[in-house]
Amino acid sequence: MLVRRSLTALAALVLLSTAACGSDGEDASSSADALDGLQVSGEFGEKPEIKIDGLDVEKVQSAELIEGDGAEVTKDSYVDYRFSIVNINGDEVASNYQENAPTELVVAEQPESIIDAVVGTHIGSRVAIAIPVKDLVGEQGAPQAGLEPDDDMVLVFDMLEEVEPPLEGPEGDEVDPPADAPKVLGGEDGVTGLDFSDAPAKAPKKLQVIPLIEGDGPEVKQGDNVTVDYYGAVWGAEEPFDESYSRTPATFPLTPGGLIEGWVQGLEGVKVGSRVMLVIPPELGYGAEGSGEKIPGNSTLVFVIDVLGA
């Protein structure tokens, strides 16, 4: 609901991350025989050139093309990483080298093939994985990315930076909101609703950032990968149009064009550990067009957001 940009399901599944320590700009072209039939060249942290000639991918294969000397990657690691994915012909399927921010990898949440390939490497490493499509995304393949289940592909990851795991919930001092702000409903399991009974019938016309819990972590900056729980409703609505408390926290880059502008403006400067309410006018949300059946045109949106990591 929140994200404007379109990512393939394949790229969304491969949420890896690492830390660039000690690669010294080493070039991976010398590792051409690490996987027979695969050549990867280019400096660590920069988009690699991937050439495939005779690569046999009957089963999952992986190789550490550049050995980093940073922290060891474990199954419990959270890392920022860059990735390139190509099909067996060497044609690009997905990449985040052109994005404003790298992607965060929660190692424990990856498929076993990814876990096996990255655990034991180090921050500063470049890792290549040759894998049948069905072994990563299942028998349905990834047709939106042009990949059938029996196709093969190669993934190259640059492990950039180890990051702190997100909080399990907001941590800080509670702040009394204005008396006419919508009231937050819920308990230990998170936000379950909003009560608009004491709020004005007409929604505010300007962006409002209302602190509810003041965290003491680092301030969120544009370009950060931000991990949040959230509850979103149209002003006055009894039901949410989207929420994450019943699922798992969401992680995404806080970048203009990637999210609705009300999130980008409203979360910048908020400290990790905080809970905030954002009241977002239509021009900073989904505008006159709205979004789907649950968000009519010209809707004012209300979000309660727990900032768990950045």
Side-chain angles (χ1 to χ4, degrees):
M1 258 311 187
L2 306 171
V3 181
R4 285 200 186 276
R5 63 180 181 168
S6 174
L7 293 176
T8 66
L10 175 66
L13 282 170
V14 186
L15 295 180
L16 307 175
S17 41
T18 41
C21 305
S23 70
D24 295 327
E26 184 179 350
D27 190 282
S29 58
S30 61
S31 62
D33 59 355
L35 290 178
D36 189 26
L38 172 68
Q39 182 172 345
V40 181
S41 59
E43 293 187 355
F44 176 87
E46 297 182 1
K47 189 173 184 177
E49 183 178 352
I50 304 171
K51 295 182 179 179
I52 299 174
D53 185 8
L55 180 65
D56 185 2
V57 195
E58 290 186 1
K59 60 180 181 179
V60 179
Q61 306 171 63
S62 64
E64 188 174 7
L65 306 181
I66 297 175
E67 294 184 6
D69 61 4
E72 182 175 349
V73 177
T74 71
K75 194 170 182 177
D76 296 324
S77 293
Y78 287 69
V79 285
D80 280 346
Y81 81 110
R82 296 286 191 184
F83 70 85
S84 278
I85 304 173
V86 301
N87 61 25
I88 198 63
N89 297 319
D91 300 324
E92 183 177 287
V93 173
S95 172
N96 75 342
Y97 283 88
Q98 73 279 4
E99 299 287 344
N100 292 331
T103 306
E104 183 176 288
L105 167 69
V106 182
V107 176
E109 296 179 0
Q110 304 311 310
E112 285 299 322
S113 54
I114 303 298
I115 294 174
D116 292 344
V118 302
V119 167
T121 65
H122 294 77
I123 298 305
S125 295
R126 171 170 285 179
V127 181
I129 305 171
I131 185 171
V133 170
K134 61 186 176 183
D135 285 10
L136 183 63
V137 299
E139 293 292 341
Q140 77 279 2
Q144 71 276 30
L147 295 172
E148 299 299 326
D150 292 330
D151 290 343
D152 300 318
M153 60 184 176
V154 172
L155 302 81
V156 176
F157 305 121
D158 283 348
M159 311 297 274
L160 299 176
E161 182 178 26
E162 190 170 28
V163 296
E164 290 292 325
L167 302 174
E168 294 185 0
E171 296 181 0
D173 298 325
E174 291 190 11
V175 180
D176 291 330
D180 61 350
K183 289 181 172 57
V184 179
L185 307 177
E188 293 183 358
D189 293 333
V191 177
T192 59
L194 289 170
D195 179 0
F196 289 88
S197 58
D198 293 331
K202 290 188 176 181
K205 296 185 178 299
K206 294 184 179 180
L207 174 68
Q208 293 187 352
V209 181
I210 302 172
L212 301 174
I213 296 176
E214 187 70 51
D216 60 3
E219 291 186 357
V220 173
K221 306 182 301 297
Q222 279 198 33
D224 283 350
N225 279 320
V226 182
T227 299
V228 300
D229 264 328
Y230 64 89
Y231 179 102
V234 171
W235 183 272
E238 296 182 358
E239 299 293 332
F241 56 77
D242 194 15
E243 57 85 25
S244 69
Y245 290 96
S246 63
R247 306 190 302 268
T248 57
T251 300
F252 43 75
L254 191 70
T255 54
L259 296 168
I260 58 174
E261 187 62 26
W263 270 60
V264 178
Q265 294 185 22
L267 290 183
E268 187 173 12
V270 174
K271 294 181 178 180
V272 172
S274 297
R275 171 176 287 178
V276 296
M277 178 183 293
L278 302 183
V279 181
I280 301 175
E283 61 270 19
L284 299 179
Y286 292 98
E289 294 182 359
S291 179
E293 296 181 357
K294 294 184 177 181
I295 305 179
N298 296 313
S299 291
T300 295
L301 311 178
V302 183
F303 286 95
V304 179
I305 304 169
D306 294 343
V307 182
L308 306 178

